[in-house]
């Protein structure tokens, strides 16, 4: 296999883990970690409409079999609410609370501040090229 290809793949993997770990470190003071932040953002994107654990899982950046546990932890903190689904009583509907939305504003600021120094490392054109190359790698 091509050495440059393998090195590029390793760099993508390392960078993804570095970003995830760094975001979790930024949010640690709020006792929130990157997967929880991701779930809160997905719920905010639902614009007040309840969504299921399966829908959350489909939309997650890093798919996790622990979505139920993540939702449980967020519910214990009062950041999300769970109710029985009206169409299927075997499923739970999840919605972000006002407290969750307020916390998410603070989390967004922390994550934006983490990314700011890196914004200067790539020009807009380079960022577009990087995105195109990653999509090309995935066959999109």
């Amino acid at each position: 296999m091509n050495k440059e290809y393998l090195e590029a793949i390793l760099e993508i993997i390392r960078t993804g883990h570095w970003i995830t770990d760094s975001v979790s470190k930024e949010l640690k003071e709020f006792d929130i970690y990157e997967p929880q932040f991701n779930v809160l953002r997905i719920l905010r994107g639902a614009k007040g409409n309840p969504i299921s654990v399966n829908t959350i899982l489909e939309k997650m950046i890093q798919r996790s079999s622990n979505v139920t546990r993540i939702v449980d932890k967020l519910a214990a903190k009062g950041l999300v609410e769970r109710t029985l689904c009206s169409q299927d009583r075997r499923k739970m509907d999840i919605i972000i609370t006002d407290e969750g939305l307020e916390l998410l504003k603070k989390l967004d600021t922390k994550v934006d501040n983490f990314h700011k120094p890196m914004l200067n490392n790539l020009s807009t054109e380079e960022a577009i090229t990087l995105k195109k190359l990653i999509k090309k790698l995935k066959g999109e």
Side-chain angles (χ1 to χ4, degrees), residues 46-119:
K47 299 182 182 352
N49 296 311
I51 59 176
S52 69
V53 169
N54 285 339
T55 301
I56 293 170
L57 181 60
E58 290 168 10
K59 294 178 181 274
M60 286 188 77
I61 293 170
Q62 284 187 289
R63 302 246 181 340
S64 171
S65 60
N66 295 325
V67 175
T68 301
R69 187 175 57 83
I70 292 168
V71 168
D72 288 346
K73 286 186 176 195
L74 293 172
K77 296 175 184 181
L79 303 174
V80 303
E81 290 178 354
R82 291 173 299 201
T83 56
L84 284 176
C85 176
S86 56
Q87 285 90 13
D88 185 346
R89 297 188 58 79
R90 295 171 295 171
K91 293 183 179 179
M92 297 296 286
D93 282 335
I94 310 353
I95 193 164
I96 192 167
T97 63
D98 290 341
E99 186 180 340
L101 289 169
E102 284 304 310
L103 177 61
L104 200 46
K105 289 178 189 175
K106 295 174 187 172
L107 302 179
D108 285 338
T109 300
K110 289 288 283 187
V111 172
D112 288 349
N113 288 338
F114 162 73
H115 284 284
K116 275 183 186 173
M118 290 180 285
L119 288 174

Side-chain angles (χ1 to χ4, degrees), residues 12-66:
I12 290 169
I13 293 167
R14 281 187 194 115
T15 303
H17 287 297
W18 173 75
I19 290 171
T20 301
D21 292 346
S22 297
V23 167
S24 285
K25 285 177 189 169
E26 290 294 317
L27 304 180
K28 191 173 183 176
E29 72 180 89
F30 297 98
D31 195 29
I32 296 286
Y33 298 92
E34 194 278 334
Q36 295 169 326
F37 174 64
N38 190 7
V39 168
L40 289 172
R41 291 181 66 223
I42 291 165
L43 291 168
R44 177 179 58 196
K47 299 182 182 352
N49 296 311
I51 59 176
S52 69
V53 169
N54 285 339
T55 301
I56 293 170
L57 181 60
E58 290 168 10
K59 294 178 181 274
M60 286 188 77
I61 293 170
Q62 284 187 289
R63 302 246 181 340
S64 171
S65 60
N66 295 325

